[in-house]
Amino acid sequence: MEVTSLGYQTDLALLRLGGSQVEDRGDHLVVRTLHNPSFWWGNFLLLEAAPPAPDAIHWQQVFAREFPNAEHMALGFDGVNGSVSDLAGFDALGLNVEESAVMTARAVHPPARPNLAADYRRLVSDEDWARQVDLRVACKDDDLDAGPYRKFSAAKAATMRALTDAGHGAWFGAFVDAELLSSMGLFTTHTGLARFQSVETHPAARGRGLAGTLVHFVSTFGFSELGAHTLVMVADPDYPAIRIYRSVGFVESETQLQAERRPQPATRR
């Protein structure tokens, strides 16, 4: 199966670099992250397109067959456009259907009101990475259980740190008085492409210009040190943070579709 979506191309490339398995079944891919089974979007099906509504139950059954022990369900749909209306069959089955914006930039500029009080730098030490796990837990959705989510976050941080140590990119943070308040990663996935990962800001520190300033700082690293000509990130078009990405030069290039069912109780998006 040839993947056309820039969002899913970079998703899959990072997953492979992190040790995930990708099995090609012709009209869909099966993605498995055995070292982190609670990583929903590391254990999912990627279909070549959004299927007709009556076929949704078939793909629900395929997921159950491929992941018989999974407490979640996650299906992605390749393509560069579309809307949640294309996923009506999955919506009828009770899955959450989502439409994300794939954003790209070939050049960036500083935000209108940069935060110059923070220290912007790479995560390097064990303490830095422990703070990254703490930050991720602080940013979790309210309906996610803190214990399982921390376990997932620690496993994900270990994978990202390994990619950093292997020279595929780096993870950065905005620190104020040694406290990590905003963070994100940027990694090369294909020649000339670099993909952002997990742009997060502590709930108590939002609205202070940290994320926008850090996105610009990290983007500069992507162009100058990773040799990227295009930066890619995926964002919720209805979430206020998308304005931050636009403010430094990112534009919507594609639409990414997915459907998911969270475990009960939910542990990880």
Side-chain angles (χ1 to χ4, degrees), residues 210-243:
L210 292 166
T213 309
L214 186 57
V215 168
H216 175 257
F217 180 86
V218 176
S219 296
T220 300
F221 159 81
F223 291 128
S224 64
E225 296 192 39
L226 294 183
H229 58 65
T230 303
L231 307 180
V232 182
M233 67 166 62
V234 178
D236 183 340
D238 298 320
Y239 194 65
I242 197 170
R243 295 196 298 269

PDB file of all heavy atoms in Angstrom, residues 210-243:
ATOM      1  N   LEU A 210       5.076  30.988  25.247  1.00  0.00           N
ATOM      2  CA  LEU A 210       6.144  29.992  25.324  1.00  0.00           C
ATOM      3  C   LEU A 210       6.139  29.061  24.121  1.00  0.00           C
ATOM      4  O   LEU A 210       7.180  28.799  23.517  1.00  0.00           O
ATOM      5  CB  LEU A 210       6.010  29.185  26.611  1.00  0.00           C
ATOM      6  CG  LEU A 210       6.281  29.942  27.917  1.00  0.00           C
ATOM      7  CD1 LEU A 210       5.794  29.135  29.113  1.00  0.00           C
ATOM      8  CD2 LEU A 210       7.771  30.248  28.051  1.00  0.00           C
ATOM      9  N   ALA A 211       4.963  28.519  23.778  1.00  0.00           N
ATOM     10  CA  ALA A 211       4.893  27.537  22.696  1.00  0.00           C
ATOM     11  C   ALA A 211       5.273  28.153  21.359  1.00  0.00           C
ATOM     12  O   ALA A 211       6.030  27.561  20.580  1.00  0.00           O
ATOM     13  CB  ALA A 211       3.503  26.917  22.634  1.00  0.00           C
ATOM     14  N   GLY A 212       4.760  29.348  21.062  1.00  0.00           N
ATOM     15  CA  GLY A 212       5.084  29.982  19.791  1.00  0.00           C
ATOM     16  C   GLY A 212       6.563  30.283  19.662  1.00  0.00           C
ATOM     17  O   GLY A 212       7.174  30.073  18.605  1.00  0.00           O
ATOM     18  N   THR A 213       7.161  30.769  20.745  1.00  0.00           N
ATOM     19  CA  THR A 213       8.586  31.062  20.730  1.00  0.00           C
ATOM     20  C   THR A 213       9.400  29.786  20.565  1.00  0.00           C
ATOM     21  O   THR A 213      10.404  29.749  19.833  1.00  0.00           O
ATOM     22  CB  THR A 213       8.990  31.789  22.019  1.00  0.00           C
ATOM     23  OG1 THR A 213       8.122  32.908  22.232  1.00  0.00           O
ATOM     24  CG2 THR A 213      10.427  32.267  21.956  1.00  0.00           C
ATOM     25  N   LEU A 214       8.953  28.714  21.240  1.00  0.00           N
ATOM     26  CA  LEU A 214       9.667  27.446  21.138  1.00  0.00           C
ATOM     27  C   LEU A 214       9.502  26.828  19.754  1.00  0.00           C
ATOM     28  O   LEU A 214      10.457  26.267  19.208  1.00  0.00           O
ATOM     29  CB  LEU A 214       9.183  26.481  22.220  1.00  0.00           C
ATOM     30  CG  LEU A 214       9.941  25.155  22.346  1.00  0.00           C
ATOM     31  CD1 LEU A 214      11.424  25.390  22.602  1.00  0.00           C
ATOM     32  CD2 LEU A 214       9.335  24.293  23.459  1.00  0.00           C
ATOM     33  N   VAL A 215       8.314  26.916  19.158  1.00  0.00           N
ATOM     34  CA  VAL A 215       8.118  26.399  17.801  1.00  0.00           C
ATOM     35  C   VAL A 215       9.074  27.092  16.836  1.00  0.00           C
ATOM     36  O   VAL A 215       9.702  26.452  15.975  1.00  0.00           O
ATOM     37  CB  VAL A 215       6.655  26.561  17.348  1.00  0.00           C
ATOM     38  CG1 VAL A 215       6.527  26.293  15.844  1.00  0.00           C
ATOM     39  CG2 VAL A 215       5.736  25.616  18.103  1.00  0.00           C
ATOM     40  N   HIS A 216       9.199  28.395  16.964  1.00  0.00           N
ATOM     41  CA  HIS A 216      10.119  29.126  16.087  1.00  0.00           C
ATOM     42  C   HIS A 216      11.561  28.690  16.330  1.00  0.00           C
ATOM     43  O   HIS A 216      12.327  28.457  15.382  1.00  0.00           O
ATOM     44  CB  HIS A 216       9.975  30.630  16.313  1.00  0.00           C
ATOM     45  CG  HIS A 216      10.957  31.441  15.539  1.00  0.00           C
ATOM     46  ND1 HIS A 216      12.082  32.003  16.095  1.00  0.00           N
ATOM     47  CD2 HIS A 216      11.008  31.747  14.204  1.00  0.00           C
ATOM     48  CE1 HIS A 216      12.766  32.639  15.168  1.00  0.00           C
ATOM     49  NE2 HIS A 216      12.144  32.504  14.013  1.00  0.00           N
ATOM     50  N   PHE A 217      11.948  28.550  17.589  1.00  0.00           N
ATOM     51  CA  PHE A 217      13.299  28.120  17.948  1.00  0.00           C
ATOM     52  C   PHE A 217      13.596  26.744  17.372  1.00  0.00           C
ATOM     53  O   PHE A 217      14.663  26.524  16.770  1.00  0.00           O
ATOM     54  CB  PHE A 217      13.407  28.107  19.473  1.00  0.00           C
ATOM     55  CG  PHE A 217      14.751  27.689  20.008  1.00  0.00           C
ATOM     56  CD1 PHE A 217      15.773  28.616  20.168  1.00  0.00           C
ATOM     57  CD2 PHE A 217      14.992  26.378  20.372  1.00  0.00           C
ATOM     58  CE1 PHE A 217      17.016  28.236  20.677  1.00  0.00           C
ATOM     59  CE2 PHE A 217      16.225  25.983  20.877  1.00  0.00           C
ATOM     60  CZ  PHE A 217      17.234  26.921  21.031  1.00  0.00           C
ATOM     61  N   VAL A 218      12.666  25.808  17.529  1.00  0.00           N
ATOM     62  CA  VAL A 218      12.866  24.447  17.054  1.00  0.00           C
ATOM     63  C   VAL A 218      12.840  24.389  15.528  1.00  0.00           C
ATOM     64  O   VAL A 218      13.595  23.631  14.906  1.00  0.00           O
ATOM     65  CB  VAL A 218      11.813  23.509  17.678  1.00  0.00           C
ATOM     66  CG1 VAL A 218      11.949  22.094  17.129  1.00  0.00           C
ATOM     67  CG2 VAL A 218      11.942  23.502  19.199  1.00  0.00           C
ATOM     68  N   SER A 219      11.982  25.189  14.914  1.00  0.00           N
ATOM     69  CA  SER A 219      11.935  25.223  13.451  1.00  0.00           C
ATOM     70  C   SER A 219      13.271  25.662  12.870  1.00  0.00           C
ATOM     71  O   SER A 219      13.745  25.112  11.864  1.00  0.00           O
ATOM     72  CB  SER A 219      10.821  26.165  12.985  1.00  0.00           C
ATOM     73  OG  SER A 219       9.545  25.703  13.375  1.00  0.00           O
ATOM     74  N   THR A 220      13.893  26.650  13.495  1.00  0.00           N
ATOM     75  CA  THR A 220      15.199  27.114  13.043  1.00  0.00           C
ATOM     76  C   THR A 220      16.224  25.988  13.107  1.00  0.00           C
ATOM     77  O   THR A 220      17.051  25.817  12.199  1.00  0.00           O
ATOM     78  CB  THR A 220      15.651  28.309  13.903  1.00  0.00           C
ATOM     79  OG1 THR A 220      14.689  29.363  13.780  1.00  0.00           O
ATOM     80  CG2 THR A 220      17.009  28.824  13.439  1.00  0.00           C
ATOM     81  N   PHE A 221      16.157  25.195  14.180  1.00  0.00           N
ATOM     82  CA  PHE A 221      17.016  24.010  14.285  1.00  0.00           C
ATOM     83  C   PHE A 221      16.742  23.043  13.135  1.00  0.00           C
ATOM     84  O   PHE A 221      17.678  22.471  12.546  1.00  0.00           O
ATOM     85  CB  PHE A 221      16.750  23.324  15.632  1.00  0.00           C
ATOM     86  CG  PHE A 221      17.144  21.874  15.695  1.00  0.00           C
ATOM     87  CD1 PHE A 221      18.460  21.497  15.910  1.00  0.00           C
ATOM     88  CD2 PHE A 221      16.188  20.869  15.544  1.00  0.00           C
ATOM     89  CE1 PHE A 221      18.825  20.157  15.970  1.00  0.00           C
ATOM     90  CE2 PHE A 221      16.534  19.533  15.610  1.00  0.00           C
ATOM     91  CZ  PHE A 221      17.863  19.178  15.815  1.00  0.00           C
ATOM     92  N   GLY A 222      15.468  22.857  12.785  1.00  0.00           N
ATOM     93  CA  GLY A 222      15.126  21.934  11.705  1.00  0.00           C
ATOM     94  C   GLY A 222      15.712  22.346  10.372  1.00  0.00           C
ATOM     95  O   GLY A 222      16.236  21.510   9.620  1.00  0.00           O
ATOM     96  N   PHE A 223      15.647  23.625  10.069  1.00  0.00           N
ATOM     97  CA  PHE A 223      16.195  24.101   8.799  1.00  0.00           C
ATOM     98  C   PHE A 223      17.726  24.107   8.811  1.00  0.00           C
ATOM     99  O   PHE A 223      18.365  23.689   7.840  1.00  0.00           O
ATOM    100  CB  PHE A 223      15.678  25.509   8.503  1.00  0.00           C
ATOM    101  CG  PHE A 223      14.215  25.568   8.189  1.00  0.00           C
ATOM    102  CD1 PHE A 223      13.376  26.447   8.859  1.00  0.00           C
ATOM    103  CD2 PHE A 223      13.649  24.749   7.219  1.00  0.00           C
ATOM    104  CE1 PHE A 223      12.023  26.522   8.566  1.00  0.00           C
ATOM    105  CE2 PHE A 223      12.294  24.801   6.912  1.00  0.00           C
ATOM    106  CZ  PHE A 223      11.476  25.697   7.595  1.00  0.00           C
ATOM    107  N   SER A 224      18.311  24.589   9.908  1.00  0.00           N
ATOM    108  CA  SER A 224      19.756  24.811   9.919  1.00  0.00           C
ATOM    109  C   SER A 224      20.565  23.568  10.247  1.00  0.00           C
ATOM    110  O   SER A 224      21.641  23.344   9.676  1.00  0.00           O
ATOM    111  CB  SER A 224      20.104  25.917  10.915  1.00  0.00           C
ATOM    112  OG  SER A 224      19.769  25.532  12.239  1.00  0.00           O
ATOM    113  N   GLU A 225      20.054  22.723  11.164  1.00  0.00           N
ATOM    114  CA  GLU A 225      20.848  21.579  11.608  1.00  0.00           C
ATOM    115  C   GLU A 225      20.360  20.241  11.052  1.00  0.00           C
ATOM    116  O   GLU A 225      21.166  19.334  10.839  1.00  0.00           O
ATOM    117  CB  GLU A 225      20.891  21.537  13.134  1.00  0.00           C
ATOM    118  CG  GLU A 225      21.594  22.740  13.755  1.00  0.00           C
ATOM    119  CD  GLU A 225      21.882  22.554  15.225  1.00  0.00           C
ATOM    120  OE1 GLU A 225      22.248  21.427  15.626  1.00  0.00           O
ATOM    121  OE2 GLU A 225      21.716  23.528  15.984  1.00  0.00           O
ATOM    122  N   LEU A 226      19.055  20.112  10.831  1.00  0.00           N
ATOM    123  CA  LEU A 226      18.548  18.862  10.261  1.00  0.00           C
ATOM    124  C   LEU A 226      18.531  18.902   8.736  1.00  0.00           C
ATOM    125  O   LEU A 226      18.322  17.877   8.094  1.00  0.00           O
ATOM    126  CB  LEU A 226      17.146  18.561  10.784  1.00  0.00           C
ATOM    127  CG  LEU A 226      17.019  18.253  12.283  1.00  0.00           C
ATOM    128  CD1 LEU A 226      15.571  17.912  12.632  1.00  0.00           C
ATOM    129  CD2 LEU A 226      17.948  17.117  12.695  1.00  0.00           C
ATOM    130  N   GLY A 227      18.714  20.081   8.164  1.00  0.00           N
ATOM    131  CA  GLY A 227      18.733  20.198   6.712  1.00  0.00           C
ATOM    132  C   GLY A 227      17.374  20.017   6.070  1.00  0.00           C
ATOM    133  O   GLY A 227      17.280  19.656   4.885  1.00  0.00           O
ATOM    134  N   ALA A 228      16.304  20.284   6.808  1.00  0.00           N
ATOM    135  CA  ALA A 228      14.954  20.112   6.267  1.00  0.00           C
ATOM    136  C   ALA A 228      14.582  21.274   5.359  1.00  0.00           C
ATOM    137  O   ALA A 228      14.958  22.420   5.610  1.00  0.00           O
ATOM    138  CB  ALA A 228      13.947  20.010   7.406  1.00  0.00           C
ATOM    139  N   HIS A 229      13.832  20.972   4.300  1.00  0.00           N
ATOM    140  CA  HIS A 229      13.253  22.032   3.481  1.00  0.00           C
ATOM    141  C   HIS A 229      11.779  22.227   3.813  1.00  0.00           C
ATOM    142  O   HIS A 229      11.195  23.265   3.480  1.00  0.00           O
ATOM    143  CB  HIS A 229      13.436  21.771   1.982  1.00  0.00           C
ATOM    144  CG  HIS A 229      12.844  20.474   1.492  1.00  0.00           C
ATOM    145  ND1 HIS A 229      11.498  20.196   1.495  1.00  0.00           N
ATOM    146  CD2 HIS A 229      13.446  19.374   0.965  1.00  0.00           C
ATOM    147  CE1 HIS A 229      11.283  18.995   1.000  1.00  0.00           C
ATOM    148  NE2 HIS A 229      12.452  18.463   0.676  1.00  0.00           N
ATOM    149  N   THR A 230      11.168  21.229   4.463  1.00  0.00           N
ATOM    150  CA  THR A 230       9.762  21.318   4.843  1.00  0.00           C
ATOM    151  C   THR A 230       9.586  20.748   6.245  1.00  0.00           C
ATOM    152  O   THR A 230      10.046  19.638   6.537  1.00  0.00           O
ATOM    153  CB  THR A 230       8.862  20.539   3.865  1.00  0.00           C
ATOM    154  OG1 THR A 230       9.057  21.039   2.534  1.00  0.00           O
ATOM    155  CG2 THR A 230       7.392  20.696   4.238  1.00  0.00           C
ATOM    156  N   LEU A 231       8.912  21.512   7.098  1.00  0.00           N
ATOM    157  CA  LEU A 231       8.559  21.053   8.435  1.00  0.00           C
ATOM    158  C   LEU A 231       7.094  20.665   8.442  1.00  0.00           C
ATOM    159  O   LEU A 231       6.264  21.317   7.793  1.00  0.00           O
ATOM    160  CB  LEU A 231       8.805  22.155   9.466  1.00  0.00           C
ATOM    161  CG  LEU A 231      10.198  22.791   9.475  1.00  0.00           C
ATOM    162  CD1 LEU A 231      10.279  23.863  10.558  1.00  0.00           C
ATOM    163  CD2 LEU A 231      11.279  21.739   9.678  1.00  0.00           C
ATOM    164  N   VAL A 232       6.762  19.603   9.184  1.00  0.00           N
ATOM    165  CA  VAL A 232       5.399  19.067   9.196  1.00  0.00           C
ATOM    166  C   VAL A 232       4.930  18.942  10.637  1.00  0.00           C
ATOM    167  O   VAL A 232       5.671  18.480  11.512  1.00  0.00           O
ATOM    168  CB  VAL A 232       5.347  17.668   8.531  1.00  0.00           C
ATOM    169  CG1 VAL A 232       3.914  17.136   8.505  1.00  0.00           C
ATOM    170  CG2 VAL A 232       5.920  17.717   7.122  1.00  0.00           C
ATOM    171  N   MET A 233       3.697  19.339  10.884  1.00  0.00           N
ATOM    172  CA  MET A 233       3.058  19.056  12.163  1.00  0.00           C
ATOM    173  C   MET A 233       1.576  18.796  11.908  1.00  0.00           C
ATOM    174  O   MET A 233       1.021  19.212  10.883  1.00  0.00           O
ATOM    175  CB  MET A 233       3.252  20.172  13.172  1.00  0.00           C
ATOM    176  CG  MET A 233       2.571  21.477  12.860  1.00  0.00           C
ATOM    177  SD  MET A 233       2.535  22.550  14.312  1.00  0.00           S
ATOM    178  CE  MET A 233       4.287  22.817  14.628  1.00  0.00           C
ATOM    179  N   VAL A 234       0.943  18.074  12.826  1.00  0.00           N
ATOM    180  CA  VAL A 234      -0.481  17.757  12.720  1.00  0.00           C
ATOM    181  C   VAL A 234      -1.180  18.384  13.913  1.00  0.00           C
ATOM    182  O   VAL A 234      -0.745  18.216  15.056  1.00  0.00           O
ATOM    183  CB  VAL A 234      -0.720  16.235  12.679  1.00  0.00           C
ATOM    184  CG1 VAL A 234      -2.211  15.929  12.627  1.00  0.00           C
ATOM    185  CG2 VAL A 234      -0.022  15.627  11.463  1.00  0.00           C
ATOM    186  N   ALA A 235      -2.264  19.110  13.648  1.00  0.00           N
ATOM    187  CA  ALA A 235      -2.929  19.870  14.698  1.00  0.00           C
ATOM    188  C   ALA A 235      -4.443  19.727  14.592  1.00  0.00           C
ATOM    189  O   ALA A 235      -4.987  19.498  13.510  1.00  0.00           O
ATOM    190  CB  ALA A 235      -2.549  21.345  14.601  1.00  0.00           C
ATOM    191  N   ASP A 236      -5.104  19.880  15.726  1.00  0.00           N
ATOM    192  CA  ASP A 236      -6.562  19.915  15.772  1.00  0.00           C
ATOM    193  C   ASP A 236      -7.016  21.272  15.241  1.00  0.00           C
ATOM    194  O   ASP A 236      -6.668  22.314  15.807  1.00  0.00           O
ATOM    195  CB  ASP A 236      -7.023  19.720  17.220  1.00  0.00           C
ATOM    196  CG  ASP A 236      -8.537  19.665  17.367  1.00  0.00           C
ATOM    197  OD1 ASP A 236      -9.249  20.140  16.454  1.00  0.00           O
ATOM    198  OD2 ASP A 236      -9.011  19.155  18.396  1.00  0.00           O
ATOM    199  N   PRO A 237      -7.791  21.304  14.144  1.00  0.00           N
ATOM    200  CA  PRO A 237      -8.172  22.597  13.567  1.00  0.00           C
ATOM    201  C   PRO A 237      -9.083  23.416  14.468  1.00  0.00           C
ATOM    202  O   PRO A 237      -9.237  24.627  14.263  1.00  0.00           O
ATOM    203  CB  PRO A 237      -8.884  22.206  12.263  1.00  0.00           C
ATOM    204  CG  PRO A 237      -9.371  20.818  12.496  1.00  0.00           C
ATOM    205  CD  PRO A 237      -8.342  20.170  13.381  1.00  0.00           C
ATOM    206  N   ASP A 238      -9.703  22.779  15.465  1.00  0.00           N
ATOM    207  CA  ASP A 238     -10.615  23.490  16.360  1.00  0.00           C
ATOM    208  C   ASP A 238      -9.973  23.858  17.693  1.00  0.00           C
ATOM    209  O   ASP A 238     -10.634  24.427  18.564  1.00  0.00           O
ATOM    210  CB  ASP A 238     -11.864  22.636  16.623  1.00  0.00           C
ATOM    211  CG  ASP A 238     -12.645  22.348  15.354  1.00  0.00           C
ATOM    212  OD1 ASP A 238     -12.762  23.273  14.519  1.00  0.00           O
ATOM    213  OD2 ASP A 238     -13.116  21.210  15.186  1.00  0.00           O
ATOM    214  N   TYR A 239      -8.682  23.524  17.859  1.00  0.00           N
ATOM    215  CA  TYR A 239      -8.004  23.795  19.124  1.00  0.00           C
ATOM    216  C   TYR A 239      -7.255  25.117  19.012  1.00  0.00           C
ATOM    217  O   TYR A 239      -6.648  25.406  17.975  1.00  0.00           O
ATOM    218  CB  TYR A 239      -7.027  22.656  19.444  1.00  0.00           C
ATOM    219  CG  TYR A 239      -6.523  22.658  20.864  1.00  0.00           C
ATOM    220  CD1 TYR A 239      -7.390  22.437  21.929  1.00  0.00           C
ATOM    221  CD2 TYR A 239      -5.175  22.890  21.149  1.00  0.00           C
ATOM    222  CE1 TYR A 239      -6.935  22.440  23.237  1.00  0.00           C
ATOM    223  CE2 TYR A 239      -4.714  22.893  22.456  1.00  0.00           C
ATOM    224  CZ  TYR A 239      -5.595  22.665  23.498  1.00  0.00           C
ATOM    225  OH  TYR A 239      -5.145  22.679  24.792  1.00  0.00           O
ATOM    226  N   PRO A 240      -7.298  25.954  20.051  1.00  0.00           N
ATOM    227  CA  PRO A 240      -6.674  27.286  19.955  1.00  0.00           C
ATOM    228  C   PRO A 240      -5.204  27.263  19.574  1.00  0.00           C
ATOM    229  O   PRO A 240      -4.696  28.232  18.979  1.00  0.00           O
ATOM    230  CB  PRO A 240      -6.871  27.862  21.367  1.00  0.00           C
ATOM    231  CG  PRO A 240      -8.078  27.162  21.906  1.00  0.00           C
ATOM    232  CD  PRO A 240      -8.015  25.768  21.334  1.00  0.00           C
ATOM    233  N   ALA A 241      -4.480  26.175  19.887  1.00  0.00           N
ATOM    234  CA  ALA A 241      -3.038  26.132  19.610  1.00  0.00           C
ATOM    235  C   ALA A 241      -2.729  26.262  18.129  1.00  0.00           C
ATOM    236  O   ALA A 241      -1.604  26.655  17.767  1.00  0.00           O
ATOM    237  CB  ALA A 241      -2.440  24.843  20.156  1.00  0.00           C
ATOM    238  N   ILE A 242      -3.687  25.967  17.250  1.00  0.00           N
ATOM    239  CA  ILE A 242      -3.382  26.048  15.819  1.00  0.00           C
ATOM    240  C   ILE A 242      -3.010  27.474  15.427  1.00  0.00           C
ATOM    241  O   ILE A 242      -2.232  27.704  14.494  1.00  0.00           O
ATOM    242  CB  ILE A 242      -4.556  25.505  14.974  1.00  0.00           C
ATOM    243  CG1 ILE A 242      -4.076  25.196  13.552  1.00  0.00           C
ATOM    244  CG2 ILE A 242      -5.733  26.489  14.969  1.00  0.00           C
ATOM    245  CD1 ILE A 242      -5.098  24.431  12.727  1.00  0.00           C
ATOM    246  N   ARG A 243      -3.541  28.451  16.157  1.00  0.00           N
ATOM    247  CA  ARG A 243      -3.197  29.846  15.868  1.00  0.00           C
ATOM    248  C   ARG A 243      -1.711  30.118  16.140  1.00  0.00           C
ATOM    249  O   ARG A 243      -1.097  30.972  15.491  1.00  0.00           O
ATOM    250  CB  ARG A 243      -4.066  30.784  16.704  1.00  0.00           C
ATOM    251  CG  ARG A 243      -5.548  30.722  16.359  1.00  0.00           C
ATOM    252  CD  ARG A 243      -6.288  31.917  16.923  1.00  0.00           C
ATOM    253  NE  ARG A 243      -6.223  31.977  18.379  1.00  0.00           N
ATOM    254  CZ  ARG A 243      -7.111  31.417  19.188  1.00  0.00           C
ATOM    255  NH1 ARG A 243      -8.137  30.748  18.684  1.00  0.00           N
ATOM    256  NH2 ARG A 243      -6.996  31.523  20.493  1.00  0.00           N
TER     257      ARG A 243
END
